[in-house]
Amino acid sequence: MTEFIEYSLLGILSGGVMALIALSFVLIYKGTGVVNFAVGEVMMLGAYFYYAATVTFELAPIAALLLALVGIAVLAVFFERLVLRPLSGQPAVAVLMATIGMASIIHGGVEAVWGGDTYSPPPLLPRTPLIFSDILIPGAVLGNFAVASILIAGFFAFFRYTSVGIALRATASDPVTAATLGIDINAALRLTWILSALVGTVAGILIASSAGLSPLLAAAAMSVFAAIILGGLDSIAGAIVASLLIGWVEALAAGYLGGKSRDVIPFVVVLVILVFKPYGIFGTRTIERL
Amino acid sequence: MRTGIFHETFKSDERMWAVPAVRLWLLIGALVLFTMPLWSGDYLLAMACIVGIHIVATLGLNITTGNAGLISLSHGAFLGVGCYTVAWLGHRGVPFYLTLPAAGLSTACLGVIVGLPSLRVKGVYLAIATLAAHFILTFVFREWVSVTGGVPGTTIPRATLGDFVFVGDRRNFYLIYGCAVILAIAARNLARTYIGRAFVAVRDRDISAEILGVDLLRTKLQAFAVGAFYAGVAGGLLGYFYGAITPEYFVLTLSVFYLAAVIVGGLGTVLGSILGAAFMTFVPEALRLLVNASAHWFPGVAGLLLPMGQAVFGLLIIVFLVCEPHGLSAIWARVRRVIHLWPFRT
């Protein structure tokens, strides 16, 4: 029983960081209709920026974090301007392939610059473990969960109460009407990409500072696909709930079936959901008309 | 002077090769191709074999993605399924003319299973489903040791026809290009049939296609099955060519490679598949030559070859999507037009 509780807690807590990655993904899908296959790579690149800033240039962790965020934001703007805007109006599949191309470029670039070794960047957060009688929770996992929760709560507030957030939501739900009402669509799309990249970077740095940094980090985003599909691609709340759920299932599977099952369980979940409940738990069913 | 192709009858519209000149060129091309092992050097021949395998696989992905518009990221893993089928059957003494179709069929069955989500979802959801299938398949490749040999890999017995053993590039060349030519003609023919036209209808607007009486469910599964069949045969050829294979070969980069080949070559055309596969095979080679040439000035550059290749694939996908969405085959068509109309300009 203690074992079960420990696995469950660890799983749900690691689901928090997964929720950040899912958020990065859902923001783009909801805001621009693009499925971004480069989320994992953007996350990895941000973590490498952070690593370079702290270790190579010896900056304080907070300054390095800011530098990494700025670097990623600049790249997101370039990508939006140079690749996605010329492709706007093309079929979804074309844009999706462009993001796959982007992922390939980033992955190759990162391996060319930093190689395939595992680095351990300095932690952002304190690492005191939490101990309840005989359950031990590593401090990094707890800290990551806390940062993820605060960030996600911040995003909810941003979309609900600020005028910029409302403008983004308006653009997402109906770009033409939003443009008529004076919202700058291009700026809104650009901001969506920036926000998503920033969230991804934070997630990447959190994972990298607790589990080490290598090009394999990008694969972490792959299991997030299970979460967003379960949550229903276009629902932020769904993505978060599903992330926690998938994190829990993954941890249980890894605990009871062995670590290898972690590589495959999320994808089995994806296939099963897509066959039986393709729009997930919270997703909107779309009705297509001619 | 020919200014264009003008069809006056349905028969001419449906003809496989539009004009007699094309047939002449194809004949010359076939002659050059099939005498190639007699005159070409070892390096060129080995490259030609690899190009041939890639052509077969690209033809398949081009049917699934280019003709039917269903994006598949599990194509690389499908090759693995074909390859392991051939290995397993080959060890049991089954000759290659049975193992290759068997590889195609087993992969096609699997393709139908992977394509099942396409009944309910499409576009991006489908891409994610195929991605999931890719990871599950590569997991199976690593873990099902009795068939795949696990991570250390497995060997594939040589293809034999009577006493003739397909060993070495010169002999495998005929095996590979024999399959490639048959499958390329089959792909060209498929586009002229009801099934091929149904693929295009589904790609362009699936709801309209359904209203016109196209069975969406069956058509989408057929598209997956045909694409997977080509991948299975390509995987089998790959096995016969290399003689030994490890799961390392069937990574996601391979799927991205074929996707890039389809986009670079031109979606939905046989010529595009051939051009794209050849181009994408020679890009890493060109990169390698460049790196070897510059190794004198930048000593550590050789180790960067693999990641650089990956980055270049990505760059090619994006550049072609943004600048030339119809790929090399459209450029080729334009060049031909300029030559035909010379000295006039279009």
Side-chain angles (χ1 to χ4, degrees), chain A residues 45-124:
Chain A
L45 185 65
Y48 271 103
F49 278 175
Y50 171 74
Y51 172 79
T54 47
V55 175
T56 317
F57 300 111
E58 295 174 344
L59 292 174
I62 293 295
L65 175 69
L66 290 178
L67 199 67
L69 291 179
V70 171
I72 285 291
V74 170
L75 276 184
V77 170
F78 270 111
F79 183 54
E80 200 274 332
R81 184 68 196 86
L82 294 180
V83 179
L84 291 157
R85 205 167 307 163
L87 282 178
S88 69
Q90 296 274 343
V93 173
V95 185
L96 185 143
M97 290 194 266
T99 65
I100 294 175
M102 192 64 203
S104 199
I105 292 177
I106 297 179
H107 209 110
V110 162
E111 270 191 45
V113 176
W114 283 284
D117 303 334
T118 305
Y119 301 105
S120 40
L124 265 178

Side-chain angles (χ1 to χ4, degrees), chain A residues 35 37 87 94 96-98 101-102 104-105 108 111-112 222 233 260 264 267 271 274-276 278 288-290, chain B residues 71 73 120-122 124-125 129 131-132 135 139 143 205 207-208 211 263 304 307 310-311 314-315 317-318 321:
Chain A
V35 170
F37 271 77
L87 282 178
L96 185 143
M97 290 194 266
M102 192 64 203
S104 199
I105 292 177
E111 270 191 45
M222 290 293 160
L233 263 193
K260 270 183 186 167
V264 70
F267 301 110
L271 276 188
L274 280 178
V275 173
F276 292 104
E288 254 190 283
R289 292 191 177 81
L290 272 183
Chain B
I71 184 164
L73 288 171
R120 312 228 8 203
V121 297
K122 56 184 193 182
V124 292
Y125 281 91
L131 187 72
F135 282 104
F139 180 78
E143 299 300 321
R205 199 82 172 94
I207 300 176
S208 310
I211 293 167
I263 294 168
L304 302 180
Q310 204 181 2
L315 200 65
I317 292 183
I318 291 183
L321 274 176

Side-chain angles (χ1 to χ4, degrees), chain B:
Chain B
M1 187 176 69
R2 201 170 81 226
T3 52
I5 300 163
F6 304 104
H7 298 295
E8 290 167 348
T9 57
F10 280 116
K11 206 169 174 230
S12 84
D13 189 32
E14 284 187 338
R15 204 179 284 155
M16 200 151 160
W17 322 111
V19 282
V22 174
R23 264 173 272 172
L24 183 68
W25 280 114
L26 278 173
L27 196 69
I28 294 170
L31 270 178
V32 172
L33 186 69
F34 279 90
T35 54
M36 194 173 160
L38 305 178
W39 50 260
S40 88
D42 288 342
Y43 173 74
L44 196 63
L45 199 69
M47 288 306 292
C49 287
I50 296 171
V51 169
I53 295 169
H54 286 325
I55 286 175
V56 174
T58 310
L59 282 168
L61 187 64
N62 214 340
I63 290 171
T64 313
T65 302
N67 287 352
L70 304 167
I71 184 164
S72 165
L73 288 171
S74 46
H75 211 66
F78 285 164
L79 253 83
V81 175
C83 185
Y84 288 122
T85 310
V86 164
W88 194 80
L89 288 174
H91 281 299
R92 272 144 198 81
V94 182
F96 78 91
Y97 47 85
L98 293 179
T99 58
L100 285 176
L105 287 177
S106 67
T107 316
C109 290
L110 203 76
V112 169
I113 297 173
V114 172
L116 272 180
S118 68
L119 315 182
R120 312 228 8 203
V121 297
K122 56 184 193 182
V124 292
Y125 281 91
L126 191 61
I128 296 173
T130 56
L131 187 72
H134 175 273
F135 282 104
I136 295 172
L137 282 174
T138 48
F139 180 78
V140 172
F141 293 164
R142 288 194 305 273
E143 299 300 321
W144 196 8
V145 178
S146 61
V147 172
T148 67
V151 177
T154 184
T155 57
I156 296 104
R158 293 290 170 199
T160 51
L161 190 63
D163 289 336
F164 188 81
V165 183
F166 287 94
V167 65
D169 294 350
R170 256 164 243 285
R171 292 179 171 187
N172 269 312
F173 181 89
Y174 288 107
L175 181 65
I176 291 167
Y177 276 91
C179 291
V181 167
I182 293 171
L183 289 172
I185 293 174
R188 184 78 184 82
N189 251 323
L190 185 73
R192 306 192 302 157
T193 61
Y194 172 81
I195 298 175
R197 286 194 295 269
F199 285 168
V200 175
V202 167
R203 174 193 68 193
D204 289 345
R205 199 82 172 94
D206 55 352
I207 300 176
S208 310
E210 197 171 18
I211 293 167
L212 291 172
V214 174
D215 186 343
L216 272 192
L217 193 152
R218 210 180 55 202
T219 309
K220 285 183 176 178
L221 289 187
Q222 273 168 346
F224 258 99
V226 173
F229 182 90
Y230 278 73
V233 174
L237 292 173
L238 192 76
Y240 282 133
F241 180 68
Y242 283 122
I245 206 84
T246 66
E248 283 281 286
Y249 191 84
F250 308 106
V251 286
L252 192 61
T253 316
L254 190 65
S255 299
V256 176
F257 174 91
Y258 289 124
L259 207 58
V262 167
I263 294 168
V264 168
L267 289 162
T269 63
V270 169
L271 180 68
S273 305
I274 295 169
L275 292 178
F279 185 79
M280 289 301 290
T281 315
F282 281 102
V283 163
E285 284 303 303
L287 206 63
R288 200 167 59 89
L289 290 180
L290 207 69
V291 163
N292 285 348
S294 64
H296 188 62
W297 295 283
F298 308 103
V301 79
L304 302 180
L305 201 59
L306 222 61
M308 266 164 60
Q310 204 181 2
V312 170
F313 289 167
L315 200 65
L316 280 171
I317 292 183
I318 291 183
V319 167
F320 270 88
L321 274 176
V322 172
C323 305
E324 183 58 81
H326 298 291
L328 287 173
S329 64
I331 296 177
W332 172 243
R334 221 176 299 140
V335 170
R336 264 180 57 183
R337 203 172 156 66
V338 168
I339 294 172
H340 281 151
L341 295 182
W342 190 84
F344 303 105
R345 269 177 290 168
T346 44

Side-chain angles (χ1 to χ4, degrees), chain A residues 50-241:
Chain A
Y50 171 74
Y51 172 79
T54 47
V55 175
T56 317
F57 300 111
E58 295 174 344
L59 292 174
I62 293 295
L65 175 69
L66 290 178
L67 199 67
L69 291 179
V70 171
I72 285 291
V74 170
L75 276 184
V77 170
F78 270 111
F79 183 54
E80 200 274 332
R81 184 68 196 86
L82 294 180
V83 179
L84 291 157
R85 205 167 307 163
L87 282 178
S88 69
Q90 296 274 343
V93 173
V95 185
L96 185 143
M97 290 194 266
T99 65
I100 294 175
M102 192 64 203
S104 199
I105 292 177
I106 297 179
H107 209 110
V110 162
E111 270 191 45
V113 176
W114 283 284
D117 303 334
T118 305
Y119 301 105
S120 40
L124 265 178
L125 306 161
R127 279 187 167 169
T128 19
L130 203 64
I131 300 170
F132 297 110
S133 59
D134 38 354
I135 298 171
L136 182 140
I137 296 164
V141 175
L142 207 65
N144 288 355
F145 186 75
V147 172
S149 324
I150 293 168
L151 211 58
I152 289 168
F155 262 94
F156 267 103
F158 169 73
F159 279 111
R160 195 160 191 97
Y161 299 113
T162 65
S163 57
V164 179
I166 293 169
L168 288 187
R169 271 163 59 209
T171 315
S173 72
D174 190 343
V176 177
T177 315
T180 328
L181 292 172
I183 294 169
D184 185 348
I185 300 288
N186 284 335
L189 293 182
R190 197 183 312 133
L191 188 61
T192 310
W193 277 96
I194 293 174
L195 284 179
S196 158
L198 293 185
V199 173
T201 305
V202 173
I205 294 173
L206 288 180
I207 298 178
S209 63
S210 60
L213 176 60
S214 76
L216 288 177
L217 183 62
M222 290 293 160
S223 65
V224 172
F225 276 115
I228 44 180
I229 290 286
L230 179 63
L233 263 193
D234 59 352
S235 155
I236 293 183
I240 291 160
V241 173

